[in-house]
Amino acid sequence: MKAAVLIVSKVILRLFNINYMIKLNNIHKSFNQNKALDNLCLEVKPGEIYGLLGANGAGKSTTMNLLLGFLQADSGSIEVFDSQNNLNNKKEQIGYIPENVNLYPYLSGLENLDYFCKIANLKYKTEELEELLSECGLELDAHNKSTSEYSKGMRQKVGIAIALAKDASIYLLDEPASGLDPLASNELSEILKKLASKGATILMASHDIFRVRETCNKIGILKKGKLVNEILSKDVSSNQLEEIYINFMKN
Amino acid sequence: MINILVNEWKGFLRNKLFIFLSLFFLISLCGVTLFGIIQNEKQVETQKIAKEHIRKQWDEMEPSNPHSAAHFGSYAFKSTSILNSIDEGINSVTGNVLRLEGHKQNDVVFSEASQSLLISKFGKLKPALIFQFIIPLFLIFFAFNSYTSERSNGRLKLLLIQGASLRKIVFSKVFSIWVIGIILLITSIIVQFIFNGTQLSSDTLLRLMLLFSTYAIYFFIIVNLTVLLSVVFKNSTAALSITILIWVVWTIFLPSIIGKTAEEINPLPTRIDFKESMADDRSKGIDGHNPRGDRRQALEKATLEQYNVDKLEDLPINFSGILMQADEEYGNKVWDKHFGSLYNQLKAQKYIYQISGVFNPFISLQNLSMGLSGTDMYHHLDFLAQAEKYRRVFIKSLNDEYAFGGSKTGQRGWKASNDFFRSVKEFHYKNPTFSSFFSKYIIDFLILLFWLVILSILLSFSSRKTLDI
């Protein structure tokens, strides 16, 4: 039955030349009668970095939790496809970076990364893990230090390494640059661009207009659970984007 | 699953508080186990000295009247198994020694059910105290936030996104904490082996293994329940408060309430009532010291007819000995009647208490712990029955000597020889094998397994839902 559904969906996608990795159709989600998402429709194409801008409570984290399967929509449908255009809601193909990466304080950064890789059945050599941590901007002498001594930014870097180690086709990032210094934040942008160039699809929720403009190809503005505007970042400067965003928030 | 388990243990071993508490409990447990073994050895030694003393008294007894010797009496010692050093059970109330005397049977007016809380636990420091009360608390304190802390700091989401299932995560937590209890149990068993290794018969070994399994199951129940509550309430404080509340109800309130209820439903007579009622029944029978009794006259007549003589003085034997034995046998019948009804009441009480394990697995644990240590009511009743059986043989041999040992009726000053007293055998209690008693404890085993299965199913069911974390 499941195989039949996958074949049919694949045929439909090819027939109509539908080309996206994430699709949210008319999503409604309320918490105690407070609307968190109101008829949200959103599509993210393969290789695209989609930035979701919005104020606190706009529905960014709710969208992320719906895509991660931690919440269920009241109505509407969520479609997540894998790199072969198969409907695949499995978490294995999703890399996730939360706003606050809380690691095991009794483990070092390297041990944390190793542990989360083992949980995902990923087999890496220690040198490979070290390399990954360094790529994510964690200084070499911090690799074997207990994460209880880490700053928020250092923990965030390990979180990024955990997500990258999955070599996923989709990355969901909830305020990933939170706590990162400008240099590390810039490095993160470069990493994400590199991933996208290899075909990964990225959906990133953020407050940081500048970082979103720098990193993403497409930007959606979320207000009170509704997608009120979509802009291609190549069409606007950071200042213009800020102006548009503020206008939408004020109106 | 193994990765989560190993990670949990890394966390424990790098936690100074855990190391401190574990070492404290390990040392305490070793100390208490060793202390229990020493106490036990001391008791065995004391019993040995007392037995030798009594044997010496009988061996060196001057020629005397066998009836006087019957009142001089003897003692039955309940041999202490090495397992008594783990759980003293009702021994702390009933003791290990019975006095055996002519005409005087021992009574059992003791309700294990109603005194279940009092018995042993806080009397002497035994490993059972630590296993039943302290280690479960230790496990609760490590389990109550093992899940909620993962959830509240967001690591749970990361684990789930990495592909771990919630069920695997929670069961790994349960197993990792359960292993702490198992290590403490094994430590106690190792101490037993080191200091008591030479005394381990196959029955003791079986009991020890079952005791280990029983506590292992109970620890799993406790950890499972704690983690289950933390999954259900998603809040560490709520999970801890409710687990502690359940623990207090299980260990303090319910045993007392159920014990009292069992005694209300199947009341035992008071010691005074029991003795009066025995004396009342006894007085209706042949009284060896009352020659005018009807029964005495009937016995006298029958004996005279048997020996075909007209007067007691013409008998070739001593009628007083026959009279004593007849009185003894009537007394035995009275004792059997009263003991039988008492035994049935005790059994009914125990059954109610055992069944209540459905509401409180602690009761099943307590029953099994005492049963497997050989210190519960069933084992005590067995000792009582064996001692009474011996008392009857012992008194009969004295009465027979009085009747048929060469004296004639009226020869009150007749004395049995020292050789006869030397030939009187002492009592040797044989501890029953557990396999012969197993049927009495099946219900406790089944109830513990029931709790294990139910809680595991509930935990598995509650951890199927990964939404809304």
Side-chain angles (χ1 to χ4, degrees), chain B residues 197-337:
Chain B
T198 51
Q199 296 179 47
L200 290 173
S201 64
S202 57
D203 181 60
T204 313
L205 213 57
L206 172 73
R207 285 170 181 263
L208 205 56
M209 290 304 115
L210 288 172
L211 202 62
F212 174 83
S213 312
T214 302
Y215 277 105
I217 294 173
Y218 184 71
F219 291 165
F220 197 81
I221 289 170
I222 286 287
V223 179
N224 205 328
L225 176 78
T226 314
V227 174
L228 172 69
L229 290 172
S230 73
V231 171
V232 171
F233 290 100
K234 302 185 178 82
N235 176 310
S236 301
T237 317
L240 180 64
S241 314
I242 293 168
T243 313
I244 294 291
L245 180 74
I246 291 175
W247 183 83
V248 168
V249 169
W250 276 2
T251 54
I252 297 172
F253 293 113
L254 275 183
S256 174
I257 292 167
I258 294 166
K260 295 284 176 205
T261 310
E263 211 187 23
E264 281 292 314
I265 297 170
N266 297 289
L268 293 183
T270 62
R271 197 175 286 269
I272 294 168
D273 286 348
F274 187 77
K275 283 198 167 183
E276 276 179 358
S277 134
M278 284 261 285
D280 188 43
D281 276 2
R282 189 85 187 254
S283 69
K284 291 173 189 164
I286 309 153
D287 184 347
H289 301 290
N290 179 7
R292 282 173 292 190
D294 292 343
R295 288 178 188 273
R296 180 198 160 119
Q297 282 178 14
L299 181 68
E300 196 179 306
K301 195 180 164 200
T303 312
L304 291 173
E305 277 173 12
Q306 188 191 345
Y307 286 95
N308 203 20
V309 291
D310 299 326
K311 288 188 291 182
L312 289 174
E313 291 74 24
D314 296 338
L315 282 169
I317 47 113
N318 193 332
F319 180 68
S320 296
I322 291 175
L323 197 59
M324 302 286 177
Q325 185 55 28
D327 173 61
E328 189 64 34
E329 280 167 15
Y330 192 80
N332 293 344
K333 277 183 195 166
V334 172
W335 191 84
D336 287 344
K337 177 189 151 194

Side-chain angles (χ1 to χ4, degrees), chain B residues 6-17:
Chain B
V6 169
N7 184 47
E8 287 294 309
W9 266 88
K10 269 187 192 170
F12 292 148
L13 295 174
R14 292 178 188 182
N15 179 342
K16 283 178 188 159
L17 179 69

